[in-house]
Amino acid sequence: MSTPFLVWIILAPLIGSLLNTGFYFYHIKKQKISEVVFALIGTITPFISFLITLYLFLQMRDEKIIFNQDLFTWVSIGNLNIEMRLLGDNLAIFMSMFVTFIGWLIHIYAIGYMKGDEGFGKFFAYFNLFLASMLILVLADNPIILFIGWEGVGLCSYLLIAFYYQDKDNVLAGNKAFIANRVGDFGFLLGVVTLFFAIDANSLSFATIEANISNASPELLILSGFLLFVGAMGKSAQIPLYVWLPDAMAGPTPISALIHAATMVTAGVYMVARFHFLYIGIEDIGTFIAYIGAFSALFAAIIATRQQDIKKILAYSTMSQLGYMFIGVGLGFYSTGLFHVFTHAFFKAMLFMGAGGIIIALHHEQNIFKIAQHRAQLPIIHFTFLVGVIAISGIPPFSGFFSKDAILAAAFQNGEYLIWGIGIFTAFLTAFYMFRLYFVIFVAPTKHVAQYTYTSKTITIPLLILSIGAIAAGFLNLPEVLGGETRVDTWLSQLNSHKLHLSHSTEYILMITSVIVALAGILVAYKKYAKFDVYKPESDEGIIANKFYVDEFYDKVLVQTSKKISTFIDKVVDEKIIDGFIMSICDGFISFGKKVAMIQNANVRFYAAFMLVGMCCIFIYLYKLLGL
């Protein structure tokens, strides 16, 4: 069904970005503009997007329809037509719902966090553009339009990670994120091109690709599926393209919350789900995706156990949780993986926003042991942070339990017992390192406890709203074994190639095992950190604390090698061989020219002598010719 509203979901934050950009330039060049103006534009426009999405969702639920909107023909070459067309199906509206809602709450939170910052207006201009780019990605009707949003979130992440560009480290972090994502984006683009030639169709809409997927050879489908997932590795920070994610913490905390909860890192999972019709036919690539997710989840969780920066701990937890999501979508349980995207958005946004509140209270201190040494009384943040930690640890009835347990059950049902085992052990590590974080910051004994007064309700109210989602969102997809109706699975049922059909007794055993493992992780963290001496922090040395030296390895093998190759090409191949060869020819011409130039010396007597010699030569030639 055609509707004029889809484009306004995108245009609302996009217009907000343009307005804030214009006002910001006016603000810095002519006359100061109040932060209230930037804040109102920055928060009202995402809320409009949410209201439109909610309206379309309710209409879809009641009338069982799918929305679309044709804007214009973008490319028309021969038989190839690429339409600027938006698609509002169940998947797109499901993603848009929580992206706009949680994005809106993070925008509200940013008002209090960024208060007094010189770049307040610029920040909201970037923030609105980030949300608009994500919505282009989600609502795209074809992979070319999706790629526009895909690149848009990459650009905005660079701008926001390097927001405080006066600090060189922040710029380097932004560059790292940008370059790592370009590697993934190149893979994504190659995947789309491969798929286009494989299906031999004159349109690239998702519906056309799905209808013509049988035209492609299995080899090209496998290649295309793999290349598309390379793009997902970059955007969603999976092995081996994950290294940018911890460094992205250089940006202000609101952008960390937006990247990790509602926008950029979820794009890879969404893209795989959007191409579900492709991956259903190449299950080996799906299994490969699941294993990459499993090992990424485990690897990130191990690193998180020894990190001391509060935001980097949360960053690695995001990478780990994304691994669970890829297990779900890789095994064909797309609604299950997306349900974890949904629940994770609530508690991860809340955890990052809580961390931001702590950082503000402690004058931008991020080391958890130093935070503990100068602890501030933050009752609202303390409560919401605990809710988030419990939710991500998978303790019922909090939301993280239902979504994570469903993924583990899917792996068990498919006979992927190694993935299930990795997932269970990662659940133990998740509970351990998250409660390590909680016990050190809020529980471990300290000599100094300061009172802290919240400066803005824009920080606390979004936290309290998100805490409701972190507690209750799991009930939206309550499994049948617990008397639920699996509403999310029903809403996204057209995506799934597999469904859970375990016996109730098996499901109960898997649930109990998951809870016991999580409780064991909490117990170990309690024993070690509840009474930890924060004045004698853990060593930041060792292979785990240094992230297995992967960054150093990449720098040595890739960066330094590239520099050496570039230097060799510049100094030897280009300068000595190519330039040397060309310059030697040039020198020869110049030398020859100088010799010829000796003849042209403007000396009349010299010219007369040459004329005399020439005439003599002519006379001698004629003499010989005539035989005289």
Side-chain angles (χ1 to χ4, degrees), residues 14 87 92 104 137 215 338 346 403 546:
L14 185 59
L87 174 65
W104 170 58
L137 189 157
N215 296 340
L338 290 166
F346 285 96
S403 55
N546 285 283

Side-chain angles (χ1 to χ4, degrees), residues 144 165 178 245 418 461 559 614:
I144 303 300
Y165 58 87
F178 192 81
L245 193 63
L418 177 58
I461 291 177
V559 178

Side-chain angles (χ1 to χ4, degrees), residues 539-613:
S539 171
D540 58 358
E541 299 296 325
I543 188 171
I544 297 177
N546 285 283
K547 303 167 287 186
F548 291 94
Y549 298 101
V550 173
D551 286 273
E552 289 79 1
F553 174 78
Y554 280 6
D555 181 69
K556 188 76 173 177
V557 174
L558 299 178
V559 178
Q560 297 304 323
T561 301
S562 297
K563 284 184 177 179
K564 290 178 180 178
I565 293 172
S566 299
T567 302
F568 174 78
I569 292 173
D570 177 42
K571 300 298 182 183
V572 179
V573 176
D574 188 27
E575 188 174 313
K576 294 185 178 180
I577 298 176
I578 298 176
D579 282 358
F581 174 72
I582 293 173
M583 291 308 297
S584 64
I585 294 175
C586 293
D587 289 341
F589 276 109
I590 292 171
S591 178
F592 177 74
K594 286 180 178 179
K595 289 180 173 60
V596 173
M598 292 175 63
I599 302 173
Q600 302 293 329
N601 58 7
N603 190 317
V604 176
R605 292 180 180 179
F606 192 76
Y607 291 164
F610 266 97
M611 291 174 65
L612 181 60
V613 170

Side-chain angles (χ1 to χ4, degrees), residues 138-153:
V138 168
L139 294 171
D141 179 68
N142 65 66
I144 303 300
I145 309 302
L146 187 151
F147 189 68
I148 295 173
W150 190 270
E151 290 298 286
V153 295

Side-chain angles (χ1 to χ4, degrees), residues 74-314:
W74 188 25
V75 175
S76 182
I77 303 174
N79 293 326
L80 173 62
N81 293 294
I82 299 177
E83 303 290 337
M84 183 63 74
R85 192 168 187 263
L86 303 180
L87 174 65
D89 62 357
N90 291 32
L91 173 58
I93 296 300
F94 171 77
M95 287 289 295
S96 297
M97 280 282 288
F98 73 82
V99 166
T100 53
F101 179 69
I102 292 177
W104 170 58
L105 291 177
I106 297 172
H107 277 68
I108 294 173
Y109 168 85
I111 296 172
Y113 189 91
M114 298 298 294
K115 185 178 181 180
D117 193 286
E118 291 182 0
F120 188 91
K122 179 173 68 173
F123 179 84
F124 274 94
Y126 290 163
F127 227 36
N128 282 167
L129 182 61
F130 203 156
L131 191 61
S133 297
M134 185 64 187
L135 291 169
I136 292 172
L137 189 157
V138 168
L139 294 171
D141 179 68
N142 65 66
I144 303 300
I145 309 302
L146 187 151
F147 189 68
I148 295 173
W150 190 270
E151 290 298 286
V153 295
L155 169 64
C156 293
S157 68
Y158 166 76
L159 295 173
L160 286 160
I161 292 167
F163 186 76
Y164 296 120
Y165 58 87
Q166 298 86 350
D167 188 332
K168 180 181 177 182
D169 290 340
N170 294 344
V171 176
L172 291 175
N175 290 343
K176 190 174 183 179
F178 192 81
I179 293 169
N181 274 279
R182 296 294 72 72
V183 176
D185 295 353
F186 183 62
F188 176 85
L189 201 55
L190 287 177
V192 172
V193 172
T194 302
L195 191 59
F196 171 71
F197 284 107
I199 64 173
D200 191 27
N202 58 7
S203 172
L204 269 178
S205 70
F206 291 115
T208 302
I209 296 173
E210 184 174 4
N212 292 276
I213 201 75
S214 59
N215 296 340
S217 66
E219 294 79 12
L220 286 178
L221 289 181
I222 289 172
L223 177 60
S224 178
F226 171 76
L227 290 171
L228 289 171
F229 180 62
V230 170
M233 287 179 183
K235 275 291 181 287
S236 296
Q238 297 294 282
I239 293 173
L241 298 178
Y242 70 92
V243 290
W244 67 271
L245 193 63
D247 294 78
M249 299 303 97
T253 302
I255 184 53
S256 301
L258 194 62
I259 286 176
H260 288 253
T263 55
M264 186 165 172
V265 296
T266 63
V269 182
Y270 169 79
M271 185 271 292
V272 173
R274 176 54 76 190
F275 279 99
H276 65 280
F277 51 83
L278 167 64
Y279 289 103
I280 286 173
I282 48 174
E283 292 193 353
D284 288 344
I285 295 296
T287 304
F288 169 76
I289 291 172
Y291 271 97
I292 289 291
F295 286 114
S296 297
L298 176 61
F299 185 71
I302 293 171
I303 294 175
T305 60
R306 291 299 306 277
Q307 295 302 299
Q308 297 185 10
D309 185 306
I310 183 172
K311 289 176 69 176
K312 287 191 176 180
I313 294 171
L314 295 178

